[in-house]
């Protein structure tokens, strides 16, 4: 069982201490006996302990930086939401395929922002611009926010904030099962709580440092019992020996464990495995013994934004993946909604 995240080292920006959450976190980490250092900027942390890149990378991922979010312009977050809600950046997990490895580059440490009220005020402005249309916010674009929220409770605050809004909805996804403190949040059905799931093979070989499948499913049950709209992201869907039976077992287990009826239909979002050339380089550096196969000859190239394309499965493999996974969903969860396959 993966224990709730505890940082090995904490950095705090002095101006973060002007916010109540900054003070609370400082006192909390002092009580926990964790080394605390000062930093002038949450973007400037360097010189992590370690004799080589490999050790430094691991130590950086165990480091939490408490800072103030300066940029209050939100990124877009298609296809699952209109905007990303920036509560934190970085993750303690070690998923080999994780896109944060490339997007965060030399800053793999975890940053949490204490100016949550200012971030939520900005969300209010975005909602006002689009009202009466609903604006959806995704809180897990740049981190696994649930994985650190037992320390900060920023996500809980955001859940209750959206619980009181008429024109906004919150969503996030997690691979962590540490959800107990979120169960009594006054969500009013306006937050969709999603879990990222995969078959046993992918979780075993590529998702180190995250909660195991059965733990995530147990957490999903609790979340469903707490009345949250529930969803699952199956990603990355990955072809390996025996994948069809292995994914079938995933849906069978899910079906056996979850309540037969949920208040709101369960949603499934389906994302096939993809990689970019820069991502492949970073993965091979950070996880040199990974079994993750990234063979361009077995994929097709899809042009992306900013001129950086990605390698996805060939048409016939893609069609088989979609048909197989959607077939299992229709069989085991006939009332569920498949939001997209990409
Ligand atoms: Fe990346 Fe999510 Fe894994 Fe964290 S849990 S390393 S955010 S894929």
């Amino acid at each position: 069982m993966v224990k709730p995240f505890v940082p090995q080292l904490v950095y705090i920006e002095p101006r973060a201490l002007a916010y109540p959450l900054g003070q609370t976190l400082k006192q909390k980490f002092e009580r926990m006996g964790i080394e605390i250092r000062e930093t002038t900027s949450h973007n400037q942390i360097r010189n992590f302990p370690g004799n080589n890149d490999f050790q430094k990378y691991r130590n950086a991922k165990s480091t939490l930086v408490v800072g103030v979010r300066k940029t209050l312009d939100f990124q877009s977050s298609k296809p699952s939401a209109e905007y990303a809600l920036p509560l934190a950046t970085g993750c303690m997990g070690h998923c080999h395929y994780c896109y944060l490895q490339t997007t965060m580059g030399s800053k793999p440490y975890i940053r949490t922002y204490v100016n949550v009220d200012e971030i939520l005020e900005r969300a209010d402005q975005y909602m006002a611009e689009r009202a009466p249309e609903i604006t959806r916010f995704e809180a897990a674009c740049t981190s696994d926010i649930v994985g650190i929220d037992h320390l900060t409770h920023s996500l809980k605050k955001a859940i209750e904030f959206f619980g009181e809004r008429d024109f906004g909805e919150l969503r996030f996804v997690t691979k962590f099962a540490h959800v107990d403190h979120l169960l009594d949040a006054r969500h009013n059905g306006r937050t969709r709580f999603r879990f990222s799931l995969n078959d046993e093979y992918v979780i075993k070989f590529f998702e180190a440092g995250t909660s195991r499948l059965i733990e995530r499913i147990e957490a999903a049950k609790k979340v469903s019992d707490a009345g949250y709209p529930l969803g699952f992201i199956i990603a990355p869907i990955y072809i390996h020996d025996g994948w069809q039976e292995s994914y079938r077992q995933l849906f069978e287990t899910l079906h056996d464990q979850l309540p037969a009826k949920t208040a709101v239909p369960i949603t499934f979002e389906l994302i096939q495995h993809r990689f970019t050339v820069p991502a492949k380089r970073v993965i091979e550096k950070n996880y040199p013994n990974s079994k993750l196969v990234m063979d361009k000859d077995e994929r097709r190239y899809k042009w992306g934004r900013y001129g950086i394309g990605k390698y996805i499965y060939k048409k016939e493999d893609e069609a088989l993946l979609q048909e197989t996974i959607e077939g299992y969903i229709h069989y085991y969860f006939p009332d569920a909604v498949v939001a997209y396959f990409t």
Side-chain angles (χ1 to χ4, degrees), residues 181-243:
H181 73 289
L182 298 172
L183 300 178
D184 67 353
R186 294 178 296 279
H187 58 77
N188 290 331
R190 303 199 71 84
T191 290
R192 186 168 289 272
F193 209 129
R194 291 124 87 223
F195 287 86
S196 168
L197 299 183
N198 221 307
D199 74 347
E200 291 285 4
Y201 181 92
V202 171
I203 293 178
K204 178 173 175 191
F205 290 112
F206 308 135
E207 296 186 354
T210 64
S211 297
R212 301 297 84 185
L213 176 62
I214 200 67
E215 295 167 344
R216 294 182 213 171
I217 295 177
E218 278 165 9
K221 268 197 294 191
K222 291 185 198 171
V223 160
S224 176
D225 289 346
Y228 280 96
L230 181 64
F232 297 100
I233 300 189
I234 313 297
I237 305 169
Y238 178 75
I239 294 179
H240 58 84
D241 279 351
W243 68 271

Side-chain angles (χ1 to χ4, degrees), residues 142-190:
T142 52
S143 71
D144 190 311
I145 188 71
V146 174
I148 51 170
D149 203 61
H150 61 282
L151 297 170
T152 63
H153 286 211
S154 306
L155 181 63
K156 186 170 191 179
K157 188 167 191 171
I159 291 171
E160 298 196 332
F161 168 88
F162 283 100
E164 293 172 352
R165 296 297 179 283
D166 291 329
F167 300 117
E169 286 176 5
L170 182 64
R171 52 193 53 211
F172 49 85
V173 59
T174 185
K175 288 186 175 73
F176 291 91
H178 312 121
V179 301
D180 287 359
H181 73 289
L182 298 172
L183 300 178
D184 67 353
R186 294 178 296 279
H187 58 77
N188 290 331
R190 303 199 71 84

Side-chain angles (χ1 to χ4, degrees), residues 61 90-95 97-100 143-144 175-176 210:
K61 270 188 159 270
C91 178
M92 70 300 293
H94 281 280
C95 304
Y97 53 75
C98 179
Y99 69 97
L100 292 183
S143 71
D144 190 311
K175 288 186 175 73
F176 291 91
T210 64

Side-chain angles (χ1 to χ4, degrees), residues 5-289:
F5 171 65
V6 175
Q8 286 173 10
L9 176 63
V10 168
Y11 281 88
I12 300 185
E13 286 178 359
R15 56 205 200 97
L17 296 175
Y19 294 81
L21 180 56
Q23 287 288 347
T24 305
L25 289 175
K26 180 167 184 276
Q27 287 159 15
K28 179 180 289 202
F29 295 132
E30 280 171 352
R31 276 200 307 274
M32 292 166 84
I34 297 169
E35 181 184 344
I36 299 176
R37 297 181 187 171
E38 193 177 287
T39 177
T40 47
S41 165
H42 62 77
N43 287 320
Q44 301 287 340
I45 318 275
R46 293 192 187 91
N47 299 326
F48 287 97
N51 296 326
N52 51 45
D53 286 348
F54 187 73
Q55 288 175 358
K56 287 182 182 174
Y57 176 72
R58 272 151 185 74
N59 286 328
K61 270 188 159 270
S62 303
T63 299
L64 181 68
V65 183
V66 178
V68 175
R69 175 91 186 177
K70 283 190 224 144
T71 319
L72 290 177
D73 290 337
F74 296 180
Q75 302 283 314
S76 89
S77 177
K78 298 287 181 188
S80 74
E82 274 68 46
Y83 292 107
L85 185 73
L87 298 175
T89 312
C91 178
M92 70 300 293
H94 281 280
C95 304
H96 296 184
Y97 53 75
C98 179
Y99 69 97
L100 292 183
Q101 295 187 64
T102 20
T103 55
M104 296 184 59
S106 59
K107 299 172 197 158
Y109 48 86
I110 303 155
R111 281 162 272 178
T112 186
Y113 307 116
V114 293
N115 50 334
V116 180
D117 289 331
E118 291 164 14
I119 294 167
L120 294 176
E121 271 168 32
R122 187 75 178 99
D124 258 337
Q125 291 170 9
Y126 282 116
M127 281 182 270
E129 283 167 14
R130 286 172 42 89
E133 259 193 84
I134 299 292
T135 304
R136 299 166 302 166
F137 294 85
E138 168 69 66
C141 279
T142 52
S143 71
D144 190 311
I145 188 71
V146 174
I148 51 170
D149 203 61
H150 61 282
L151 297 170
T152 63
H153 286 211
S154 306
L155 181 63
K156 186 170 191 179
K157 188 167 191 171
I159 291 171
E160 298 196 332
F161 168 88
F162 283 100
E164 293 172 352
R165 296 297 179 283
D166 291 329
F167 300 117
E169 286 176 5
L170 182 64
R171 52 193 53 211
F172 49 85
V173 59
T174 185
K175 288 186 175 73
F176 291 91
H178 312 121
V179 301
D180 287 359
H181 73 289
L182 298 172
L183 300 178
D184 67 353
R186 294 178 296 279
H187 58 77
N188 290 331
R190 303 199 71 84
T191 290
R192 186 168 289 272
F193 209 129
R194 291 124 87 223
F195 287 86
S196 168
L197 299 183
N198 221 307
D199 74 347
E200 291 285 4
Y201 181 92
V202 171
I203 293 178
K204 178 173 175 191
F205 290 112
F206 308 135
E207 296 186 354
T210 64
S211 297
R212 301 297 84 185
L213 176 62
I214 200 67
E215 295 167 344
R216 294 182 213 171
I217 295 177
E218 278 165 9
K221 268 197 294 191
K222 291 185 198 171
V223 160
S224 176
D225 289 346
Y228 280 96
L230 181 64
F232 297 100
I233 300 189
I234 313 297
I237 305 169
Y238 178 75
I239 294 179
H240 58 84
D241 279 351
W243 68 271
Q244 282 157 299
E245 173 55 15
S246 187
Y247 278 99
R248 193 198 63 73
Q249 283 172 12
L250 163 67
F251 288 102
E252 185 182 61
T253 309
L254 199 55
H255 169 265
D256 292 349
Q257 298 291 326
L258 283 182
K261 276 270 171 218
T262 49
V264 185
I266 293 174
T267 54
F268 284 94
E269 295 158 75
L270 309 176
I271 305 174
Q272 64 173 299
H273 180 250
R274 71 270 320 274
F275 64 90
T276 63
V277 171
K280 182 175 174 182
R281 263 199 306 273
V282 178
I283 292 165
E284 286 169 349
K285 178 169 157 242
N286 289 340
Y287 303 102
N289 299 320

